[in-house]
Every structure is written in C-alpha cells, then in structure tokens.
Amino acid sequence: MSQIDFDVAHVLAGSLVLISFLELYQDRLYSLLNVYAAHALVLAASVAWQAFMQDAPHLYVTAMIALVFKAIIIPVALHRMIVKLGIHREIEKVVGVGMAMLAGMGLVALSMVVMLRVTQQAGPLAQEDLAFALSVVLLGLLMMVTRRNAVSQVVGFMSLENGLVLAATGARGMPLVVEISVAFSILIAFIVIGIFLFRIRERFDTVDVQVMDTYRGERR
Amino acid sequence: MTLTIVLVGAAFLLALAPLAVATGGAQASSRLIYGASLIVSAASLVASLAHLLAAAPPETVALPLGIPWLGAHFRLDALSAFFLVVVDLGALGASLFALGYGKHETAPGRVLPFYPAFLAAMTCVVLADDAFTFLLSWEFMSLTSWALVMSHHRVPENVHAGFVYLVMASFGTLCLLLAFGLLAGPDGHYAFAQMRAVHPSAAIGALTLLLALLGAGSKAGIVPLHVWLPLAHPAAPSQVSGLMSGVMTKVAVYGFVRIVFDLAGPPAWWWSVVVLALAGVTTVMGVLYALMQHDLKRLLAYHTVENIGIIFVGLGLALAFRAYSMPFAAALAFTAALLHVFNHSLFKSLLFFGAGAVLTATGERDMEHLGGLIHRMPQTAFVFLVGCAAISALPPLNGFVSEWLTFQAILLSPQLPSWGLKLLVPAVGALLALSAALAAACFVKAYGITFLGRPRTPAAEAATETDSWSLAAMMLLAALCLLAGILPGLFIDALAPVSSVLIGARMPAQSGMQWLSIIPIAASRSSYDGLLVFLFMVASGTLAAATIHRFASNRLRRAPAWDCGYPDSSPATQYSATSFAQPIRRVFGSVVFQARESAGMPPPGNTQPAWLKVELHDPVWDYLYAPLAAGIGGAADRLNRLQFLTIRQFLTLVFGALVILLLVVAVWS
Amino acid sequence: MVLIRDLAIQGAQMLLVLLLAPLFTGFVRKAKARLLRRQGPPLIQPYRDLLRLTRKDVVLAESASWLFRVVPYLVFAATWVAASLVPTFRTGLLFSWSADLIAIIALLGSARFFLALAGLDVGTSFGGIGSSREVMLASLAEPAMIMVVFTLALVAGSTQLSTIAAFMSSSGVGLRASLALALVALIMVAIAENSRIPIDNPATHLELTMVHEAMVLEYSGRHLALIELAASLKLILYVSLIACLFAPWGIASSAAAVPALAVGIGAYVGKLAIGSLLLALFETSIAKMRVFRVPEFLGAALMLGLLATLLLFVSGSF
C-alpha cells in the first residue's frame, strides 16, 4: 500500500467530517437534504476506495447500496415527504451555529484522543480512519441533539449510520450478510419513522418536538 | 557597584517623599520632585542596562535592616537587571511626562509624596533576595499606589476603586506569603539563595505554582482576578496610570517568573496547562471587555489585561518546553514573553500619557464627547497613532515582533508529547490570533472616535496642544517603539543573559544576521527583517507619490463632504464608540456578556427624544465576586451575634477553648 | 552575478504583479458580464479608469486631516510589498526571507487598519458603517488565515512562503486531509478579505450592502486610483497565494534557467485566467449574505483552520 492510497483514504474520510460540519451549518431543510446526499456520496466513494485497496469485492456492493439508497432514494423520498406534509422548511436550533461548531470541534478532538489511544495495536490507516469515523458518529449525534425539527433529527441519525459504516469498512470490512441486514433495518426504521411523522403531523399539525413535549403529560 | 548605585538611588527617592510632604504642594516642589525622579531613574537605567548588556555576574548585598537574624538581602542578576531596565524606563517616561502634566494636578499634596516612594518600592521588589524584603517592598508598592489611586478622593467611583484595589492587593500578598512560606519550609529558610538550593517536592511545587499564579497574577491582571485593574488604573493621575499599567503589572510578572522559574525547582508538565488555559482566556476576555468601553482610560486598562495574557502564553509555553527538556524552544518562548514585557511597557505608557494629554486638553475621558482632535492636537495625535499601531501588532513596529516570536514558539509545540498540551496549544494559538485581530479593531475605535472625525462637544472643539515636556516623553517612547520594531535583533540579544540564567539556553545570536534580520530557530525555518520591510514600504510609498505627482496631477481642492449627496452638518450623526462596537458586540458580546440592545421610540407628535439602551453583564463579577461578597456578608452577619452575648456566655467560650487546647496537648504528645 | 539576476527577478515579480492586477480585475468583470449575457466593459477598462482618476483633482472634504491624504499611499505600499513576496512564477525570491507568511498577513492587516481609520476621518456615518463592519469581519477572517498559515507551516516545516511553495511543488507532500481543510478555509477567507460576493458587493451603491465601498466613499482622484489599485493587488495576491500553494504545477524552482522561467510565467498567467473564471462563476451563482450571517461563515472558516491545525498537532501524517 503506497502513500497515495493512505492519503486518498484520509482525504475521503476527512471530507466526510467536513460534510458533517456543513450539515451542522445548514438552516434550511432542502439544503440539508442536499448536503446529506453529498455525505452519502462521499461515503460511497470512501467504501469503494477501501474495496479497491483491500481487494475486497463485497465492499463494492456496500458502496452501491450506499450510493443508490442513501444518496438517491432516501433524500428524494424525504424531499417528497416534506412537500406532502407541508413541513415548514426552516430548522430551529437549540444552540447557535457558532456554539454548535465549537462543540463539534471538541467532539472531534475527543474522538482523536480516544481512538489514537485505544487502538494502539492497529495499523496507522485503520487508526486514523476510526478516529474520523467516531467523529462523524458524534457529529451526527450532536445534530440530533441540537435541532428541533424531526426531519433534521432523522438526517442526523442517517449520518450517524454513515459513520458506523465507515468504521466497519475501515476495520477490514464486514460480511455482506451483515451489511444487507443493516441496510434493510435502516429501510424499515425509515419507513416506520415516515409513518410516525405522518401520524404525528395529522394529529398535532406540526412536527416541532418542543410543541409536542407539552402533550407528554408531565409538568416541567 | 551597579547594585550600590541602584540602591542609593532608591534610598534617595524614599528620602524625597518626606521632603514633598514638608514643602506641601508648591509648584516649584512639583518640578523638583519629578526632576529628581527623572535624574535618579536615568542613572539607574544606565547602570542596570550596562550590567545587562555586559552579562556581568550577579551582585549581592546584605543590609542590617528588618528581621534581626535575616537582614535585608538584595541581588542584581540578569533577570533583575532586565526588569530594572523596564521599571526605570517607565519611570523616566512618567517623570518626564509629569514635569509638564504635574502643573494641572489639582491635589499635588496627595500625589507628590507617594510618587517617588512608589518608584523606590518597585525598584526594591525587583532587587529583593529574600522573602521578607520582597513582601515588604511588594506591600509598600501596593500601599503607595493605593494612595495615588485615592488622590482624588472626592470622586465616589475612585473611592470604590480604591476599596476593591485594597482587597485584591491584600489577597495577592496573602497568597504570596503562603507561597514563600511553603518554599521556606519548616526550618524557615527565607533567603532566596537557600530556597534555590532545595528542590521542593511535587505537591509543594504544585501549591507554590497555584499560589504564585493567584498572588502575582492578581497584581498582573489575569482573569478572573483582574477586576481591580480597570477600576484603579483610570482613577489615578495619568502619569501614575501609565506606571501602574506599564510597569507595576510587569513587576508582578517578575514576581511570577522569579518564583516559578527560579525558586520552585524543575516544573511539572501540567503547570503549563494551567498557565496556558488561564492565559488564553485572559487574552480574549481582556480585549472583549476593552471593546465594550467608551471611557478611554478604562479601555486602555482592560487592554493591559489582554497583553498580560499574551505574556503568560509565552511563559506557559516556556514552562512546557522546560518540563520536557527542550531548552532551545523554551528559550524562544521565554524571550518572546520578556520581549513583550518590554514592548508593552513602552506602548502602554505612551497610550496612557496620550490619554492624559487629551484629558487635560479637553477635560473629558469619554470618547463619545471627543472627536476631531487630530486638527487641534496634531503632535499628540501623531504619537498616539504610533502607539495604537504598535499595540495592534502592525509591522514594522515592535508589537509585531513579540507576537511573531510567540507564534514561532507555538509552531514548535507539536513536538511536545503530552496529549493535553497537543489539544490545548492549537486552541491557545487560535485565541491569540483572535485577540490580535480584536485588538486592532479596538484601537481603530479608540483612535478613530477620539482623534478623527468632527468634534462632538464644545470641549473637544476648544482643545489645544499639550506642553513640550509631555510631548517629549511621548515622542521618546514612540521612537523607542519604532527602534525596537526595526532593530529587534539588538533587543533579543540583550535578553540572552536572562534566558541563559533561568532556562539554561539562549536564542541564537542575532547580531551577525544579514541585513539585521532576526532568525529565531534556523534560517530555513523562519526569519523576519523589520528594517527591510520598513524601507520597502517607505520606498514604494514615496515612489508612488513621486510618480503620480510628477506625471499625473497633484492638485487638490477642499469641499464639503460627499456623504452620498446628503451631508449632515451635525457632528452627532457620525459614529460613536458604542455604535462602532455594535457589530462586534452583537457577534461576540451577545454570548460572552449577554449584551442586549433595546430602543424606545416616542409616538409621532411627541417631542421627547428616542432612547437606545445597551445592557452588558460582566460574567466574572456576576458569577464569582457578587456571590462571594454576598456569602462573606452573610457569614459576617451571622458572626455578628457574637457581639451581643452575656458575660456568662463569653466565659463559656474561653473555658471551651482552654479545654480543647488541653485535650489536643493530651492526645498529641 | 547571481545577486544581480536574483534582484532582477524580484523586480520583475513586483512589476508583473503590479501590471497584471488591473487586467485580472477587468477579466473577472468581463467574465461576470458574459455569464449574465451582457457584453461587459473591455478588458483594459480598469487601466483606463486608473489613468483617468490619477489625472483628476482630488476633492477633499473640509473635515479631512493629513491622515486621510497619507493613507492611500500607505495602503498601496503595504499591499504592493506583500504582493511582491508571493511567488508567482518562481520560488526562492531574493527578499522572501525578510517577511514570512505571518508578516505578509500582518502587512495586509496594517493596510486594513489605516483604511478603517480613513473611513472614520471625515466624520460621516457612511465611513463609520464601513469601518465598523470591516473590523468585525477582520476579527474573524484574520485568525482563520493565521490557522491556515499554521497548517501550512506544520506541513512544510517553515513559515517562509518561498520554502512552503517549494515544498508543495515537490513530490514529498502527497494528498493530505489537513491540507484539504486548509484549502477550503483559505478560499473562504480569500472571498471575505477581498470583499467579493457573498460577503460584500464590490459594485454596489447601496449602503445597506457596503463594507469596503463605504470606507472609501470620500476618496477621489489619485487617492481613489491608488486605493482601487491596492484592492486589485490584494485580489491578485490571494489568487497567486492559492495558486502557488495548492496548484504549484509549472512554477520554476530557485535554480531554474530562463526557459523554465518562461514556462513559469505562462503557467502563472494560465492559473490567473482559470482563477478569474472560477471567481466569476462563483460570484454569479450565489447571492450576497446578510451582514450578520457573515460571522457564521467566517466562524466556520476559523473552525476548519483550527481543525486542520489540531489534526496536525495530534499526528504528523494527517
């Protein structure tokens, strides 16, 4: 494995982190979906490159699944859902963009420290890829925590899933069976969430979680 | 020999104090006192500079004053010589300035006795070689400066400032007392020579660092112990403000360096983490506070906090490099910090003197009542501009050199193996860069609102130029700023003996570099040539001017301002200090200070004026000092009940104390 | 002999940058016009504008001071000195050791400091708008730029621009994640510093959308010519910086002979052409941001630069 292979893998993983930051920066739903599509695209490229480097053809299938489902089908479907439900297209934030970015920086630093300490025995490429993957997971969680719109929380969950896939391919790949089952479970979760969103919106006329909190029956 | 000269000078200054009391506040005595201080500081400056440049061995003297079995030890080594140069240069400038400014003093009898005593006290702190002399001189320095802060005691905010200053100074001395007590050990080795010989344990070293940071740091102005600084520095007369901001804070830095780098033995790596974290916060908070001010002197005082942060960043890096045995990197960081000490004392004194000149010319300290002074006070405006450019770290002046050296030290830090430092140092670098950019914004505001534009009040319109003594002092300092920026190699080489003594290494000799550039690490890595940059700028500017004037047009005519076709004759429509800072207040202040603006507009037909209210909350005061003061007040109220006990209850207390002491004796022996 | 040759090359670099700057601006304007389906001004129009302005009288406001008259020369001198130190067709310039990348940024910072002061000098509210917004943007753009400098210095082991450019054009650099982040941050900062859309509109006449234009509103005649020339120089400086750091193909090394220099100049002009097309494309495809969205934009650039530096501190192979 020459230096250029390492470097391309790093650049792709780093771009994934960059796009996660870009997702934190968005405040409109359509642009968020476009950024998420780019996220999935870069993930597909990264998995394909790993397949090329590790000489593991089943990872090409993973890359195809990521490309078709996550980069094309899911964003288009979410786009349609937004139009159909008439969800307002601005994302309310709990903390401002600056604070969210600072918190994101701290999370990246944390994942660097943890991964580069814990995985001492792995090779350098795997170590650094895992560090980037953990950053993507944490940034996805941060997005879910700091956004009030249910659709944006779904997108955060999806980018978290992307980070996990990156980690799994970096650790010398998963068997295809596991990947297919994971992909289908995502699809099921997505359908369930979609149905729930429809029902919620029918019932409450909104998908803003703060409004829905008042119906929880607990006094705060 | 040098030490004797300096000590005699200090004694002479001390003797001037009762003389000033005796002669009251006469005009001639004011000239006499300031003139004598000028001469003594000049002599002391020459002597200590000679000692520093010659890299002479340390001189000691022990006088039979003070505690009988200890005496008073004084020592002049390279570190003391450097800080003595800083103190004396500041004193020289202040005395020269005060020769002219002292004429306008309304209460000279309250200022003149304490001024030479203050100078003598600062000299003695820098020369002290045992804990008792150090602490005595330190307290004397605090007390004399407190008296100077309280010199205009009829103004209520000065009284408040003096009170806060006294409380914080006492707290600082208490921490230093405990620190020296820890270093002296159970056998009471109060002389510094004895402390140097014994290396304290890790726990004692850690406690000493924290106490030194609290004690010396509160005098220097580290956040959150800085609260007294922006109250006390503006309250004092202007020559004393310049001394307090430019020189006394540096004496506090000297105290920190002496304890942590000299007496406390080899540092642990985590000491640098504490220092760097505090320093980074101090830098940004200081400049953000400064941007919110519209009182010129308060702005300058808060800005001192920022520069102290920059100095402590350099010192923190030096500690980190020293802990990991990287002596050359430590020498670079240490030299950067000390160079900034020198540079800051120059331009901060200059700026305070300029503010003093503006105050005497217009009677106003508030920027929102000034404006257009560049036409009425042209020379003061010019030197103030040099000071503003220097403090904003613009090449080719001196502020840029120390900032550049600190950045070079930060770029050496990836070699540090500790994880905490690997994550902290880039963050501190970002904070440093942020504060440098904000400082430039702050001084565009300070200079632009005060000196440029049109006068906002009749007082500003009636301003006249200051007297020649004050101008001479400011021009001297401005010339030194330019010199230190163009020929930084000389100043770096002068600092070499200090870092050799304390760090054990020094930066490469700069005097032989081609074209007088400075090369801190290696030629392939980085270099800077202030002189060449300056010459290039002058050459290209003159070339452009000459070409255009010769070949194109050089005609000029005056007309009313364009203002997009709607010129307004009222100077109230131009930007004020508050409006200039509004974008930055909105971006940074809404988070840090919870800055909120509200406006009230009367309905049409109502002739009342509209109002704009800006609300700022000081987070340090609200979350640290206010609860602390409330807690102390509450505890004091509870304890107050002890005053009203009956005789029987008092006797019970005495009886109880006696029984407990006897129990302790019984159990312990 | 070598000294004379190096001196000549440094002088040629200074002259080249000065002469190409208005052409670059003209090219960008023409490209933008064509993208908007207009004819656009001729390519040499900026030269004509500058000559026309220098021949006119200066109309000075009554409340302007000596600082107002000196600032255009100061700003031009600082920007020209900075621009002559950025390698365009050859690395290893003669005076590159006198000011490294941090000093170049500080020189641009001092130009901005004095321009902001000039905005406040006449005492109108327009100047105040420009100066206050400009220093707010600078307070975020400058640290972001310094973080980019740190990243480059940590990768190349030096802060001198010629050394960094030589390192980037050698084969030892590879494709690095931190450099990718630094590139994105540098492009964001370059757009902000040169007052292009989406930060500021260089062709605006509405004070709601002004930052740079508001500061120089009162300037006329030869003063305005110098300030416009300095703005063009700053733009070409940033484009040359991005080109020599991230697209260093064709740049001649310091020991090159004359044919390599000719190739270097040709490559440089080609990079400028591509850069101007990309800039025009970017400016016509995006709308100008609200003023208080810009700190978020620049804050993101600062975070990216900080992330790149952090990655390099953590491990040298990032």
Side-chain angles (χ1 to χ4, degrees), chain B residues 229-255:
Chain B
L229 213 146
L231 295 171
H233 285 196
S238 306
Q239 74 272 30
V240 178
S241 303
L243 273 180
M244 285 174 80
S245 243
V247 179
M248 193 173 75
T249 47
K250 309 302 172 300
V251 173
V253 171
Y254 164 79

mmCIF file of all heavy atoms in Angstrom, chain B residues 229-255:
data_model
loop_
_atom_site.group_PDB
_atom_site.id
_atom_site.type_symbol
_atom_site.label_atom_id
_atom_site.label_comp_id
_atom_site.label_asym_id
_atom_site.label_seq_id
_atom_site.Cartn_x
_atom_site.Cartn_y
_atom_site.Cartn_z
ATOM 1 N N LEU B 229 -8.209 46.123 38.250
ATOM 2 C CA LEU B 229 -7.375 46.840 37.304
ATOM 3 C C LEU B 229 -8.126 47.930 36.534
ATOM 4 O O LEU B 229 -7.690 49.077 36.534
ATOM 5 C CB LEU B 229 -6.756 45.819 36.338
ATOM 6 C CG LEU B 229 -5.377 46.097 35.797
ATOM 7 C CD1 LEU B 229 -4.652 44.788 35.624
ATOM 8 C CD2 LEU B 229 -5.453 46.781 34.481
ATOM 9 N N PRO B 230 -9.274 47.617 35.922
ATOM 10 C CA PRO B 230 -9.953 48.678 35.177
ATOM 11 C C PRO B 230 -10.630 49.713 36.063
ATOM 12 O O PRO B 230 -11.062 50.749 35.583
ATOM 13 C CB PRO B 230 -10.996 47.935 34.355
ATOM 14 C CG PRO B 230 -11.182 46.664 35.027
ATOM 15 C CD PRO B 230 -9.935 46.325 35.720
ATOM 16 N N LEU B 231 -10.739 49.450 37.366
ATOM 17 C CA LEU B 231 -11.258 50.473 38.267
ATOM 18 C C LEU B 231 -10.141 51.375 38.742
ATOM 19 O O LEU B 231 -10.277 52.595 38.780
ATOM 20 C CB LEU B 231 -11.921 49.813 39.475
ATOM 21 C CG LEU B 231 -13.170 48.991 39.181
ATOM 22 C CD1 LEU B 231 -13.581 48.234 40.425
ATOM 23 C CD2 LEU B 231 -14.293 49.887 38.726
ATOM 24 N N ALA B 232 -8.983 50.769 39.127
ATOM 25 C CA ALA B 232 -7.922 51.540 39.784
ATOM 26 C C ALA B 232 -7.049 52.297 38.799
ATOM 27 O O ALA B 232 -6.683 53.440 39.048
ATOM 28 C CB ALA B 232 -7.055 50.607 40.623
ATOM 29 N N HIS B 233 -6.701 51.680 37.666
ATOM 30 C CA HIS B 233 -5.766 52.358 36.759
ATOM 31 C C HIS B 233 -6.297 53.669 36.227
ATOM 32 O O HIS B 233 -5.567 54.649 36.152
ATOM 33 C CB HIS B 233 -5.391 51.431 35.585
ATOM 34 C CG HIS B 233 -4.436 50.359 35.981
ATOM 35 N ND1 HIS B 233 -3.720 49.638 35.068
ATOM 36 C CD2 HIS B 233 -4.074 49.881 37.185
ATOM 37 C CE1 HIS B 233 -2.967 48.767 35.701
ATOM 38 N NE2 HIS B 233 -3.164 48.886 36.977
ATOM 39 N N PRO B 234 -7.589 53.743 35.839
ATOM 40 C CA PRO B 234 -8.056 55.049 35.366
ATOM 41 C C PRO B 234 -8.214 56.083 36.469
ATOM 42 O O PRO B 234 -8.191 57.276 36.209
ATOM 43 C CB PRO B 234 -9.425 54.741 34.748
ATOM 44 C CG PRO B 234 -9.454 53.291 34.538
ATOM 45 C CD PRO B 234 -8.610 52.715 35.589
ATOM 46 N N ALA B 235 -8.404 55.626 37.731
ATOM 47 C CA ALA B 235 -8.683 56.586 38.792
ATOM 48 C C ALA B 235 -7.450 57.387 39.162
ATOM 49 O O ALA B 235 -7.551 58.511 39.654
ATOM 50 C CB ALA B 235 -9.217 55.848 40.023
ATOM 51 N N ALA B 236 -6.268 56.826 38.971
ATOM 52 C CA ALA B 236 -5.041 57.514 39.358
ATOM 53 C C ALA B 236 -4.723 58.621 38.356
ATOM 54 O O ALA B 236 -5.217 58.590 37.231
ATOM 55 C CB ALA B 236 -3.894 56.504 39.405
ATOM 56 N N PRO B 237 -3.885 59.582 38.741
ATOM 57 C CA PRO B 237 -3.443 60.594 37.771
ATOM 58 C C PRO B 237 -2.684 59.950 36.621
ATOM 59 O O PRO B 237 -2.114 58.878 36.772
ATOM 60 C CB PRO B 237 -2.521 61.512 38.580
ATOM 61 C CG PRO B 237 -2.531 61.037 39.951
ATOM 62 C CD PRO B 237 -3.410 59.845 40.084
ATOM 63 N N SER B 238 -2.665 60.593 35.456
ATOM 64 C CA SER B 238 -2.247 59.902 34.234
ATOM 65 C C SER B 238 -0.829 59.370 34.265
ATOM 66 O O SER B 238 -0.571 58.303 33.709
ATOM 67 C CB SER B 238 -2.410 60.810 33.026
ATOM 68 O OG SER B 238 -3.713 61.275 32.981
ATOM 69 N N GLN B 239 0.104 60.094 34.893
ATOM 70 C CA GLN B 239 1.460 59.546 34.886
ATOM 71 C C GLN B 239 1.506 58.286 35.726
ATOM 72 O O GLN B 239 2.223 57.330 35.412
ATOM 73 C CB GLN B 239 2.499 60.570 35.374
ATOM 74 C CG GLN B 239 2.532 60.863 36.847
ATOM 75 C CD GLN B 239 1.579 61.975 37.199
ATOM 76 O OE1 GLN B 239 0.552 62.170 36.567
ATOM 77 N NE2 GLN B 239 1.927 62.741 38.220
ATOM 78 N N VAL B 240 0.695 58.245 36.777
ATOM 79 C CA VAL B 240 0.661 57.056 37.624
ATOM 80 C C VAL B 240 -0.090 55.932 36.925
ATOM 81 O O VAL B 240 0.283 54.759 37.053
ATOM 82 C CB VAL B 240 0.001 57.396 38.974
ATOM 83 C CG1 VAL B 240 -0.093 56.171 39.831
ATOM 84 C CG2 VAL B 240 0.768 58.480 39.664
ATOM 85 N N SER B 241 -1.131 56.250 36.145
ATOM 86 C CA SER B 241 -1.814 55.202 35.380
ATOM 87 C C SER B 241 -0.841 54.520 34.451
ATOM 88 O O SER B 241 -0.810 53.294 34.338
ATOM 89 C CB SER B 241 -2.937 55.781 34.523
ATOM 90 O OG SER B 241 -3.853 56.470 35.274
ATOM 91 N N GLY B 242 -0.032 55.345 33.771
ATOM 92 C CA GLY B 242 0.957 54.761 32.874
ATOM 93 C C GLY B 242 1.921 53.862 33.626
ATOM 94 O O GLY B 242 2.262 52.774 33.182
ATOM 95 N N LEU B 243 2.341 54.307 34.820
ATOM 96 C CA LEU B 243 3.254 53.491 35.610
ATOM 97 C C LEU B 243 2.585 52.206 36.074
ATOM 98 O O LEU B 243 3.171 51.129 36.027
ATOM 99 C CB LEU B 243 3.713 54.273 36.843
ATOM 100 C CG LEU B 243 4.922 55.162 36.662
ATOM 101 C CD1 LEU B 243 5.229 55.844 37.967
ATOM 102 C CD2 LEU B 243 6.107 54.350 36.207
ATOM 103 N N MET B 244 1.335 52.306 36.528
ATOM 104 C CA MET B 244 0.675 51.110 37.048
ATOM 105 C C MET B 244 0.445 50.096 35.937
ATOM 106 O O MET B 244 0.706 48.910 36.099
ATOM 107 C CB MET B 244 -0.659 51.496 37.701
ATOM 108 C CG MET B 244 -0.509 52.152 39.051
ATOM 109 S SD MET B 244 -2.065 52.750 39.709
ATOM 110 C CE MET B 244 -2.751 51.249 40.349
ATOM 111 N N SER B 245 -0.046 50.565 34.791
ATOM 112 C CA SER B 245 -0.335 49.635 33.703
ATOM 113 C C SER B 245 0.922 49.146 33.032
ATOM 114 O O SER B 245 1.043 47.984 32.680
ATOM 115 C CB SER B 245 -1.191 50.322 32.643
ATOM 116 O OG SER B 245 -2.419 49.724 32.528
ATOM 117 N N GLY B 246 1.850 50.066 32.798
ATOM 118 C CA GLY B 246 3.013 49.685 32.018
ATOM 119 C C GLY B 246 4.101 49.041 32.846
ATOM 120 O O GLY B 246 4.836 48.218 32.346
ATOM 121 N N VAL B 247 4.220 49.428 34.119
ATOM 122 C CA VAL B 247 5.367 48.983 34.895
ATOM 123 C C VAL B 247 4.976 48.080 36.054
ATOM 124 O O VAL B 247 5.579 47.025 36.239
ATOM 125 C CB VAL B 247 6.148 50.213 35.408
ATOM 126 C CG1 VAL B 247 7.318 49.763 36.232
ATOM 127 C CG2 VAL B 247 6.622 51.042 34.251
ATOM 128 N N MET B 248 3.951 48.450 36.832
ATOM 129 C CA MET B 248 3.655 47.637 38.012
ATOM 130 C C MET B 248 3.181 46.246 37.630
ATOM 131 O O MET B 248 3.526 45.266 38.315
ATOM 132 C CB MET B 248 2.594 48.328 38.877
ATOM 133 C CG MET B 248 2.489 47.686 40.231
ATOM 134 S SD MET B 248 1.418 48.556 41.361
ATOM 135 C CE MET B 248 -0.156 48.105 40.719
ATOM 136 N N THR B 249 2.403 46.133 36.537
ATOM 137 C CA THR B 249 1.998 44.799 36.102
ATOM 138 C C THR B 249 3.218 43.977 35.720
ATOM 139 O O THR B 249 3.241 42.749 35.904
ATOM 140 C CB THR B 249 1.029 44.899 34.922
ATOM 141 O OG1 THR B 249 1.549 45.815 33.969
ATOM 142 C CG2 THR B 249 -0.327 45.362 35.363
ATOM 143 N N LYS B 250 4.258 44.638 35.181
ATOM 144 C CA LYS B 250 5.469 43.899 34.823
ATOM 145 C C LYS B 250 6.228 43.462 36.059
ATOM 146 O O LYS B 250 6.883 42.409 36.066
ATOM 147 C CB LYS B 250 6.388 44.754 33.948
ATOM 148 C CG LYS B 250 5.701 45.357 32.783
ATOM 149 C CD LYS B 250 5.082 44.264 31.939
ATOM 150 C CE LYS B 250 4.211 44.842 30.866
ATOM 151 N NZ LYS B 250 3.114 45.645 31.377
ATOM 152 N N VAL B 251 6.185 44.263 37.127
ATOM 153 C CA VAL B 251 6.808 43.837 38.382
ATOM 154 C C VAL B 251 6.096 42.584 38.904
ATOM 155 O O VAL B 251 6.737 41.657 39.430
ATOM 156 C CB VAL B 251 6.759 44.981 39.409
ATOM 157 C CG1 VAL B 251 7.245 44.511 40.750
ATOM 158 C CG2 VAL B 251 7.585 46.140 38.923
ATOM 159 N N ALA B 252 4.766 42.515 38.701
ATOM 160 C CA ALA B 252 4.035 41.315 39.085
ATOM 161 C C ALA B 252 4.488 40.122 38.253
ATOM 162 O O ALA B 252 4.666 39.011 38.767
ATOM 163 C CB ALA B 252 2.542 41.544 38.903
ATOM 164 N N VAL B 253 4.708 40.351 36.936
ATOM 165 C CA VAL B 253 5.221 39.269 36.087
ATOM 166 C C VAL B 253 6.590 38.825 36.590
ATOM 167 O O VAL B 253 6.905 37.628 36.623
ATOM 168 C CB VAL B 253 5.307 39.740 34.615
ATOM 169 C CG1 VAL B 253 6.027 38.726 33.763
ATOM 170 C CG2 VAL B 253 3.928 39.996 34.065
ATOM 171 N N TYR B 254 7.416 39.813 37.018
ATOM 172 C CA TYR B 254 8.724 39.475 37.581
ATOM 173 C C TYR B 254 8.563 38.547 38.775
ATOM 174 O O TYR B 254 9.283 37.549 38.904
ATOM 175 C CB TYR B 254 9.467 40.749 37.990
ATOM 176 C CG TYR B 254 10.623 40.470 38.920
ATOM 177 C CD1 TYR B 254 11.821 40.001 38.421
ATOM 178 C CD2 TYR B 254 10.499 40.641 40.293
ATOM 179 C CE1 TYR B 254 12.873 39.717 39.268
ATOM 180 C CE2 TYR B 254 11.544 40.361 41.147
ATOM 181 C CZ TYR B 254 12.730 39.901 40.627
ATOM 182 O OH TYR B 254 13.763 39.617 41.474
ATOM 183 N N GLY B 255 7.603 38.888 39.661
ATOM 184 C CA GLY B 255 7.379 38.044 40.838
ATOM 185 C C GLY B 255 7.046 36.620 40.430
ATOM 186 O O GLY B 255 7.598 35.650 40.970
#
